[in-house]
DNA sequence: CAAAAACGAGAGCACTGCTCTTGCGCGGGA
DNA sequence: TCCCGCGCAAGAGCAGTGCTCTCGTTTTTG
């Protein structure tokens, strides 16, 4: 069979998983900087050199953890989105953003691993890309649905950005207006600014009651990408002349 | 005299500065994780244990570098702002944002040190606070000027955020409307989301021509805090019905 | 069944942060 | 002016790290 060509192959899968699990444990407990191969091996009752048969270096272990973290975040967001799939685009948007925030608060060190500063001269390998784009794809899908439905509000682009905006749209979502794609990418980045500031303590003594603050900010991001229709009971989030 | 109570005291100041300079060099070259006390000492021609007379631990050295980085960023922003002090609020806003981005691109590892994931279970000590708030104070000042001038557009707050918004305004800028303070804090965090995503490679293959993209996004942040008046030659940045 | 590949164990290298002890030399008080 | 003390540098040492290499053993494969 291909799934179990031998006891050896199965054992390898199990040991690999055990290493990742223990590494994730240490990552969650102490952070990426204190993640030690030797400590992982020790905890698993093996000698440290044996671990190198499974992960050729510490960075490779970290890469595996990064992919898993992206997948875990993506899964959490997709699960939350599925529960409100029938709702309006704006509520779906805020739900996905809130799910990302909740995941980050629950897995701070894993979040720091993927969206914080990259570890020592580390460059994300290509294989992280698909896992990394899951949340982004979710957001694009929501905006696309709104575009095909009631339509989107648009913000005109400055002249100097038009060609780049066209390129971005062609790459990410050719069916969406370029202005919307630009706003989408910016909102996507800004979302992680909000989450990161909360997580890394920048909001200490600044924002105390963070859940409603975040929901409001996420709603305004939705507004920025053109989702201007308020849900029943919500405020629109658009600026009114004072 | 109090400035030079002896050759001893002066030497201490000089050595402390030399340590910080060399540490900053290594930080810029290799990143915070590879900053080594022993390497700093080696480069300075002293033995590693001698360095502990000046900084009791590696974290203390990092803290000093963090404060310096905040100050350097704040200074760059203030300098840029001073050059356009006579311009309209929106241009001043975008200028400060752009200065922050430029500083980050020029000092990636120092930026990562202060706005990336905090190092190993590290919590920022209280003495970093004043240096850390310089850019924020600049932004508040710009919005305040606009508020006293032509006024600001406002976005209504949801009911659940009103009390927290009042608290935030009382703490940060009692003379500004609470809605504006909320938008200001959110935009402040979102600004660093934009910068971080660019710096940490999240925009690879997504945004290529980043300068105009950033300027546009910063302009929309200005719009979000109520600075809706476009400069001559700029687009307003507000959504129009499609 | 034999050759080959995969694997675990152990020793070892070069490095890290940090502590402790030892001895030297400058500086302020008598 | 002398002299004692304190600030300082130096060195050894501890515990830990990532990683490499070798050496038997075990399992898979041709």
């Amino acid at each position: 069979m291909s799934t179990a060509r031998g006891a050896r192959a199965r054992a390898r899968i199990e040991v690999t998983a055990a290493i990742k699990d223990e590494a994730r444990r240490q990552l969650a407990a102490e952070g990426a900087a204190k993640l030690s191969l030797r400590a992982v091996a020790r905890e698993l009752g093996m000698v440290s050199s044996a671990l190198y048969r499974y992960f050729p270096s510490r960075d490779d272990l970290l890469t595996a953890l990064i992919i898993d973290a992206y997948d875990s975040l993506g899964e959490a967001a997709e699960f939350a989105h599925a529960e409100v799939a029938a709702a309006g685009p704006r509520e779906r948007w805020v739900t996905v953003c809130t799910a990302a925030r909740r995941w980050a608060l629950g897995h701070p060190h894993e979040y720091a691993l993927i969206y914080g500063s990259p570890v020592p001269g580390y460059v994300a390998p290509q294989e992280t890309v698909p896992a990394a784009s899951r949340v982004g794809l979710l957001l694009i899908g929501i905006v696309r649905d709104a575009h095909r439905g009631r339509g989107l509000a648009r913000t005109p682009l400055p002249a100097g950005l038009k060609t780049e905006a066209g390129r971005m749209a062609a790459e990410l979502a050719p069916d969406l207006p370029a202005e919307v794609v630009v706003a989408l990418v910016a909102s996507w980045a800004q979302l992680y600014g909000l989450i990161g500031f909360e997580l890394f303590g920048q909001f200490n003594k600044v924002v105390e009651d963070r859940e409603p603050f975040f929901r409001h900010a996420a709603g305004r991001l939705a507004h920025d990408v053109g989702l201007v229709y308020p849900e029943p009971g919500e405020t629109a989030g658009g600026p009114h002349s004072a």
Side-chain angles (χ1 to χ4, degrees), chain A:
Chain A
M1 291 193 269
S2 67
T3 59
R5 197 160 58 250
R8 200 122 205 185
R10 187 166 30 237
R12 181 170 182 85
I13 293 176
E14 278 174 18
V15 173
T16 304
I19 292 173
K20 284 208 292 187
D21 283 355
E22 176 58 29
R24 201 173 357 256
R25 249 187 33 79
Q26 295 193 14
L27 173 63
E30 298 270 20
K34 291 202 177 172
L35 171 68
S36 148
L37 286 188
R38 291 182 110 110
V40 170
R42 205 179 306 137
E43 210 68 23
L44 262 52
M46 56 170 99
V47 85
S48 73
S49 61
L51 211 147
Y52 285 82
R53 304 258 174 210
Y54 299 87
F55 295 94
S57 84
R58 186 179 183 275
D59 275 7
D60 289 272
L61 215 195
L62 276 180
T63 300
L65 293 184
I66 286 176
I67 296 178
D68 286 4
Y70 273 127
D71 271 324
S72 171
L73 167 59
E75 200 172 328
E78 285 164 13
F79 182 82
H81 179 251
E83 288 197 320
V84 294
R90 190 189 167 88
E91 186 181 338
R92 289 162 63 198
W93 172 282
V94 172
T95 298
V96 168
C97 292
T98 304
R101 168 177 176 267
R102 197 179 310 279
W103 185 91
L105 293 179
H107 307 74
H109 285 120
E110 288 174 74
Y111 181 89
L113 194 61
I114 57 183
Y115 286 115
S117 34
V119 289
Y122 172 87
V123 282
Q126 211 58 26
E127 66 256 39
T128 66
V129 172
S133 356
R134 289 175 66 169
V135 173
L137 290 177
L138 221 46
L139 296 178
I140 290 177
I142 293 170
V143 173
R144 177 176 292 126
D145 286 353
H147 177 61
R148 290 210 265 249
R150 280 198 274 184
L152 296 166
R154 302 198 200 170
T155 304
L157 292 175
L161 190 55
K162 290 219 170 107
T163 68
E164 170 67 8
R167 202 202 53 76
M168 288 170 60
E171 178 99 6
L172 296 175
D175 56 329
L176 291 179
E179 313 95 286
V180 171
V181 173
V182 167
L184 191 44
V185 171
S187 291
W188 171 61
Q190 289 166 8
L191 164 65
Y192 290 102
L194 288 168
I195 294 176
F197 261 37
E198 174 173 356
L199 203 60
F200 298 152
Q202 227 84 27
F203 278 168
N204 288 349
K205 302 266 169 197
V206 176
V207 186
E208 302 279 10
D209 192 9
R210 289 160 190 177
E211 165 97 28
F213 175 82
F214 179 86
R215 292 189 68 87
H216 177 64
R220 300 204 62 180
L221 288 180
H223 177 85
D224 281 352
V225 298
L227 269 32
V228 297
Y229 321 104
E231 312 293 326
E234 275 192 66
T235 57
H240 300 174
S241 286

PDB file of all heavy atoms in Angstrom, chain A residues 125-142:
ATOM      1  N   PRO A 125       9.591  30.463   3.268  1.00  0.00           N
ATOM      2  CA  PRO A 125       9.690  29.646   2.051  1.00  0.00           C
ATOM      3  C   PRO A 125       8.375  29.655   1.283  1.00  0.00           C
ATOM      4  O   PRO A 125       7.320  30.021   1.814  1.00  0.00           O
ATOM      5  CB  PRO A 125       9.984  28.241   2.592  1.00  0.00           C
ATOM      6  CG  PRO A 125      10.140  28.377   4.070  1.00  0.00           C
ATOM      7  CD  PRO A 125       9.534  29.670   4.476  1.00  0.00           C
ATOM      8  N   GLN A 126       8.469  29.276   0.036  1.00  0.00           N
ATOM      9  CA  GLN A 126       7.317  29.334  -0.861  1.00  0.00           C
ATOM     10  C   GLN A 126       6.159  28.471  -0.371  1.00  0.00           C
ATOM     11  O   GLN A 126       4.995  28.817  -0.591  1.00  0.00           O
ATOM     12  CB  GLN A 126       7.757  28.880  -2.265  1.00  0.00           C
ATOM     13  CG  GLN A 126       6.988  29.531  -3.391  1.00  0.00           C
ATOM     14  CD  GLN A 126       7.098  31.057  -3.363  1.00  0.00           C
ATOM     15  OE1 GLN A 126       8.056  31.612  -2.854  1.00  0.00           O
ATOM     16  NE2 GLN A 126       6.088  31.732  -3.888  1.00  0.00           N
ATOM     17  N   GLU A 127       6.480  27.365   0.290  1.00  0.00           N
ATOM     18  CA  GLU A 127       5.388  26.444   0.656  1.00  0.00           C
ATOM     19  C   GLU A 127       4.470  26.994   1.739  1.00  0.00           C
ATOM     20  O   GLU A 127       3.446  26.387   2.043  1.00  0.00           O
ATOM     21  CB  GLU A 127       5.957  25.078   1.087  1.00  0.00           C
ATOM     22  CG  GLU A 127       6.781  25.116   2.362  1.00  0.00           C
ATOM     23  CD  GLU A 127       8.274  25.024   2.052  1.00  0.00           C
ATOM     24  OE1 GLU A 127       8.705  25.635   1.044  1.00  0.00           O
ATOM     25  OE2 GLU A 127       8.989  24.347   2.809  1.00  0.00           O
ATOM     26  N   THR A 128       4.817  28.148   2.323  1.00  0.00           N
ATOM     27  CA  THR A 128       3.910  28.723   3.305  1.00  0.00           C
ATOM     28  C   THR A 128       2.796  29.524   2.647  1.00  0.00           C
ATOM     29  O   THR A 128       1.792  29.831   3.283  1.00  0.00           O
ATOM     30  CB  THR A 128       4.664  29.661   4.269  1.00  0.00           C
ATOM     31  OG1 THR A 128       5.145  30.785   3.524  1.00  0.00           O
ATOM     32  CG2 THR A 128       5.835  28.960   4.925  1.00  0.00           C
ATOM     33  N   VAL A 129       2.973  29.835   1.359  1.00  0.00           N
ATOM     34  CA  VAL A 129       2.054  30.766   0.703  1.00  0.00           C
ATOM     35  C   VAL A 129       0.595  30.305   0.712  1.00  0.00           C
ATOM     36  O   VAL A 129      -0.289  31.067   1.100  1.00  0.00           O
ATOM     37  CB  VAL A 129       2.536  31.083  -0.725  1.00  0.00           C
ATOM     38  CG1 VAL A 129       1.494  31.879  -1.481  1.00  0.00           C
ATOM     39  CG2 VAL A 129       3.852  31.846  -0.681  1.00  0.00           C
ATOM     40  N   PRO A 130       0.322  29.063   0.304  1.00  0.00           N
ATOM     41  CA  PRO A 130      -1.095  28.680   0.272  1.00  0.00           C
ATOM     42  C   PRO A 130      -1.762  28.779   1.634  1.00  0.00           C
ATOM     43  O   PRO A 130      -2.862  29.342   1.763  1.00  0.00           O
ATOM     44  CB  PRO A 130      -1.062  27.224  -0.204  1.00  0.00           C
ATOM     45  CG  PRO A 130       0.331  26.884  -0.533  1.00  0.00           C
ATOM     46  CD  PRO A 130       1.223  28.008  -0.177  1.00  0.00           C
ATOM     47  N   ALA A 131      -1.069  28.280   2.677  1.00  0.00           N
ATOM     48  CA  ALA A 131      -1.657  28.350   4.014  1.00  0.00           C
ATOM     49  C   ALA A 131      -1.843  29.793   4.453  1.00  0.00           C
ATOM     50  O   ALA A 131      -2.813  30.134   5.134  1.00  0.00           O
ATOM     51  CB  ALA A 131      -0.784  27.584   5.016  1.00  0.00           C
ATOM     52  N   ALA A 132      -0.907  30.640   4.027  1.00  0.00           N
ATOM     53  CA  ALA A 132      -0.946  32.028   4.475  1.00  0.00           C
ATOM     54  C   ALA A 132      -2.084  32.817   3.843  1.00  0.00           C
ATOM     55  O   ALA A 132      -2.499  33.844   4.363  1.00  0.00           O
ATOM     56  CB  ALA A 132       0.391  32.709   4.176  1.00  0.00           C
ATOM     57  N   SER A 133      -2.593  32.351   2.715  1.00  0.00           N
ATOM     58  CA  SER A 133      -3.578  33.171   1.997  1.00  0.00           C
ATOM     59  C   SER A 133      -5.017  32.835   2.344  1.00  0.00           C
ATOM     60  O   SER A 133      -5.929  33.432   1.778  1.00  0.00           O
ATOM     61  CB  SER A 133      -3.375  33.027   0.489  1.00  0.00           C
ATOM     62  OG  SER A 133      -2.279  32.237   0.160  1.00  0.00           O
ATOM     63  N   ARG A 134      -5.215  31.915   3.254  1.00  0.00           N
ATOM     64  CA  ARG A 134      -6.585  31.459   3.492  1.00  0.00           C
ATOM     65  C   ARG A 134      -7.508  32.572   3.980  1.00  0.00           C
ATOM     66  O   ARG A 134      -8.622  32.735   3.477  1.00  0.00           O
ATOM     67  CB  ARG A 134      -6.593  30.291   4.470  1.00  0.00           C
ATOM     68  CG  ARG A 134      -6.018  29.026   3.839  1.00  0.00           C
ATOM     69  CD  ARG A 134      -5.899  27.875   4.817  1.00  0.00           C
ATOM     70  NE  ARG A 134      -7.195  27.395   5.269  1.00  0.00           N
ATOM     71  CZ  ARG A 134      -7.356  26.264   5.970  1.00  0.00           C
ATOM     72  NH1 ARG A 134      -6.293  25.525   6.264  1.00  0.00           N
ATOM     73  NH2 ARG A 134      -8.538  25.886   6.370  1.00  0.00           N
ATOM     74  N   VAL A 135      -7.058  33.335   4.954  1.00  0.00           N
ATOM     75  CA  VAL A 135      -7.898  34.418   5.453  1.00  0.00           C
ATOM     76  C   VAL A 135      -8.133  35.455   4.358  1.00  0.00           C
ATOM     77  O   VAL A 135      -9.254  35.936   4.169  1.00  0.00           O
ATOM     78  CB  VAL A 135      -7.271  35.071   6.699  1.00  0.00           C
ATOM     79  CG1 VAL A 135      -8.060  36.302   7.118  1.00  0.00           C
ATOM     80  CG2 VAL A 135      -7.212  34.077   7.846  1.00  0.00           C
ATOM     81  N   GLY A 136      -7.072  35.768   3.631  1.00  0.00           N
ATOM     82  CA  GLY A 136      -7.207  36.733   2.546  1.00  0.00           C
ATOM     83  C   GLY A 136      -8.217  36.288   1.507  1.00  0.00           C
ATOM     84  O   GLY A 136      -9.048  37.085   1.045  1.00  0.00           O
ATOM     85  N   LEU A 137      -8.170  35.021   1.162  1.00  0.00           N
ATOM     86  CA  LEU A 137      -9.125  34.518   0.179  1.00  0.00           C
ATOM     87  C   LEU A 137     -10.556  34.612   0.682  1.00  0.00           C
ATOM     88  O   LEU A 137     -11.480  34.897  -0.082  1.00  0.00           O
ATOM     89  CB  LEU A 137      -8.792  33.052  -0.165  1.00  0.00           C
ATOM     90  CG  LEU A 137      -7.500  32.866  -0.961  1.00  0.00           C
ATOM     91  CD1 LEU A 137      -7.218  31.380  -1.203  1.00  0.00           C
ATOM     92  CD2 LEU A 137      -7.601  33.593  -2.301  1.00  0.00           C
ATOM     93  N   LEU A 138     -10.709  34.386   1.978  1.00  0.00           N
ATOM     94  CA  LEU A 138     -12.026  34.503   2.582  1.00  0.00           C
ATOM     95  C   LEU A 138     -12.560  35.927   2.422  1.00  0.00           C
ATOM     96  O   LEU A 138     -13.711  36.145   2.020  1.00  0.00           O
ATOM     97  CB  LEU A 138     -11.896  34.148   4.063  1.00  0.00           C
ATOM     98  CG  LEU A 138     -12.955  33.307   4.756  1.00  0.00           C
ATOM     99  CD1 LEU A 138     -13.329  32.112   3.915  1.00  0.00           C
ATOM    100  CD2 LEU A 138     -12.420  32.843   6.102  1.00  0.00           C
ATOM    101  N   LEU A 139     -11.719  36.878   2.711  1.00  0.00           N
ATOM    102  CA  LEU A 139     -12.133  38.281   2.616  1.00  0.00           C
ATOM    103  C   LEU A 139     -12.449  38.645   1.167  1.00  0.00           C
ATOM    104  O   LEU A 139     -13.438  39.327   0.890  1.00  0.00           O
ATOM    105  CB  LEU A 139     -11.039  39.190   3.188  1.00  0.00           C
ATOM    106  CG  LEU A 139     -10.757  39.026   4.686  1.00  0.00           C
ATOM    107  CD1 LEU A 139      -9.628  39.937   5.133  1.00  0.00           C
ATOM    108  CD2 LEU A 139     -12.022  39.322   5.501  1.00  0.00           C
ATOM    109  N   ILE A 140     -11.602  38.182   0.244  1.00  0.00           N
ATOM    110  CA  ILE A 140     -11.873  38.454  -1.165  1.00  0.00           C
ATOM    111  C   ILE A 140     -13.230  37.879  -1.563  1.00  0.00           C
ATOM    112  O   ILE A 140     -14.028  38.538  -2.245  1.00  0.00           O
ATOM    113  CB  ILE A 140     -10.761  37.857  -2.052  1.00  0.00           C
ATOM    114  CG1 ILE A 140      -9.450  38.630  -1.859  1.00  0.00           C
ATOM    115  CG2 ILE A 140     -11.172  37.882  -3.525  1.00  0.00           C
ATOM    116  CD1 ILE A 140      -8.275  38.059  -2.645  1.00  0.00           C
ATOM    117  N   GLY A 141     -13.504  36.669  -1.106  1.00  0.00           N
ATOM    118  CA  GLY A 141     -14.781  36.035  -1.444  1.00  0.00           C
ATOM    119  C   GLY A 141     -15.974  36.838  -0.955  1.00  0.00           C
ATOM    120  O   GLY A 141     -16.968  37.006  -1.654  1.00  0.00           O
ATOM    121  N   ILE A 142     -15.848  37.360   0.252  1.00  0.00           N
ATOM    122  CA  ILE A 142     -16.947  38.155   0.810  1.00  0.00           C
ATOM    123  C   ILE A 142     -17.194  39.400  -0.040  1.00  0.00           C
ATOM    124  O   ILE A 142     -18.332  39.723  -0.400  1.00  0.00           O
ATOM    125  CB  ILE A 142     -16.626  38.553   2.271  1.00  0.00           C
ATOM    126  CG1 ILE A 142     -16.611  37.303   3.160  1.00  0.00           C
ATOM    127  CG2 ILE A 142     -17.628  39.570   2.783  1.00  0.00           C
ATOM    128  CD1 ILE A 142     -16.063  37.560   4.551  1.00  0.00           C
TER     129      ILE A 142
END
